[in-house]
Amino acid sequence: MLPNGGSRGDVLIKSAVDGTVGNQKGTGGTGLNYIIALTGIFPSQGGSSGGYSQEILGEIRLFAGNFAPSGFAFCNGQLLQISTNTALFSLLGTTYGGNGTTNFALPDLKGSVPVHVGLSPAGSDWILGEKH
């Protein structure tokens, strides 16, 4: 039995409309939220992928909290100003929305699961930024 009265079989398996994943029986529990790094190391194409001691700009993580830690934002599709987020804009562009002149959007992963772009084993073709 878990502290919130649930069992291992009913925790963190149901996606809620607000994008969090919680306890199926609705007895509380901590939700999981996708967050994206607003600051950090600017990634280089083909560069080393190991040994980083801080986040990589634009990386997405699962976070079991009801707030976005400093330097992160929730992946809920909000618009950010290009003028104050130029490095992140150079990575994301308007892939997830925005006008590309003054603002751009973060990915909206509420109630979603991110998948790799390209052709899936089932034959579905996934395009960067597309939602199914």
Side-chain angles (χ1 to χ4, degrees):
M1 188 67 79
L2 296 174
N4 64 4
S7 64
R8 288 212 186 274
D10 66 10
V11 176
L12 301 179
I13 61 172
K14 184 176 181 183
S15 178
V17 175
D18 66 0
T20 61
V21 178
N23 185 303
Q24 182 182 19
K25 293 187 178 178
T27 58
T30 303
L32 294 177
N33 295 290
Y34 290 104
I35 56 174
I36 187 168
L38 301 175
T39 60
I41 298 169
F42 192 90
S44 62
Q45 192 171 12
S48 172
S49 61
Y52 291 121
S53 61
Q54 69 183 65
E55 60 274 352
I56 298 171
L57 180 68
E59 79 174 282
I60 294 174
R61 298 179 181 183
L62 273 174
F63 179 66
N66 61 359
F67 63 94
S70 179
F72 286 85
F74 287 119
C75 291
N76 63 8
Q78 74 264 31
L79 293 175
L80 297 180
Q81 295 301 307
I82 294 172
S83 61
T84 56
N85 297 282
T86 54
L88 186 57
F89 174 70
S90 72
L91 294 174
L92 300 181
T94 57
T95 302
Y96 305 102
N99 62 24
T101 304
T102 59
N103 62 42
F104 67 103
L106 296 180
D108 185 356
L109 297 177
K110 297 185 311 273
S112 300
V113 175
V115 296
H116 191 279
V117 298
L119 194 61
S120 76
S124 298
D125 194 18
W126 297 88
I127 300 169
L128 182 63
E130 182 179 23
K131 292 179 81 172
H132 284 262

